[in-house]
Amino acid sequence: MYNGVRVDGVQAHWRAYDCIEDCFRDQDLLFNWSRYDRVRAAQTPQEQTEMLRVCGYATDPDYTKKLRGLIASYALEQYDKEAEEPMLDAGVANTVIDTWMSPAWKELDAKRQEAEQRGDGTAAAAYEQQADYIHWLANELRKASGQPMT
């Protein structure tokens, strides 16, 4: 609708997806374009909706107003605040790290050392890469539970 009149045949780069996940992935890629820098830099949902309009995202002139109405109607800002809190209990994270990840990391480190002693640099590098991945995963659990990373 534009000025109360339905407008058909708008020329735009419309997209269609097989599933919602494909839509979200594509939207992530789209919003990484420099054209949307102002959207990403916006500090509030209201600023973001305005920057979507300014950056030319929607063909509907009421898009900003409609988005703001949905945000207010469904109290969607509450989800932004919840994301700032740890999403995983620290005890659960530490149990996973201590029970499974640390022993696996130690085993890989021992295998890396054995491979180095045999002079097998390829195997040593592979074990080190696997151990580094486990360390990264452990830090992701720490981060998700609000703990400092090591």
Side-chain angles (χ1 to χ4, degrees):
M1 299 286 281
Y2 188 74
N3 290 333
V5 178
R6 181 182 169 138
V7 178
D8 293 321
V10 174
Q11 295 298 312
H13 297 284
W14 303 107
R15 297 166 186 246
Y17 304 96
D18 293 328
C19 64
I20 192 72
E21 183 179 346
D22 290 345
C23 173
F24 289 145
R25 287 176 193 237
D26 190 45
Q27 196 170 46
D28 281 344
L29 294 172
L30 177 70
F31 286 139
N32 276 315
W33 292 2
S34 61
R35 171 182 179 172
Y36 298 106
D37 286 347
R38 292 179 285 180
V39 176
R40 290 190 309 276
Q43 299 296 307
T44 67
Q46 291 73 24
E47 287 178 34
Q48 285 181 323
T49 60
E50 177 61 15
M51 289 303 106
L52 283 170
R53 185 193 65 75
V54 169
C55 294
Y57 178 73
T59 57
D60 183 342
D62 292 329
Y63 191 69
T64 298
K65 185 169 88 175
K66 290 175 181 179
L67 281 180
R68 288 180 179 178
L70 289 170
I71 291 167
S73 293
Y74 294 100
L76 297 177
E77 287 186 68
Q78 68 178 319
Y79 298 106
D80 295 333
K81 294 178 180 102
E82 288 178 14
E84 296 169 0
E85 299 173 10
M87 299 175 63
L88 179 64
D89 179 78
V92 171
N94 291 333
T95 297
V96 171
I97 292 167
D98 296 341
T99 305
W100 291 285
M101 300 179 91
S102 290
W105 183 91
K106 288 175 184 174
E107 182 180 339
L108 287 167
D109 191 52
K111 288 181 177 182
R112 178 193 56 79
Q113 290 177 23
E114 290 172 10
E116 285 178 349
Q117 289 174 353
R118 290 191 317 269
D120 188 350
T122 303
Y127 289 128
E128 183 175 18
Q129 185 177 16
Q130 291 172 1
D132 287 347
Y133 181 69
I134 288 175
H135 185 252
W136 175 81
L137 283 174
N139 274 332
E140 288 299 304
L141 286 172
R142 289 182 185 100
K143 185 170 34 171
S145 62
Q147 299 180 78
M149 296 187 291
T150 64

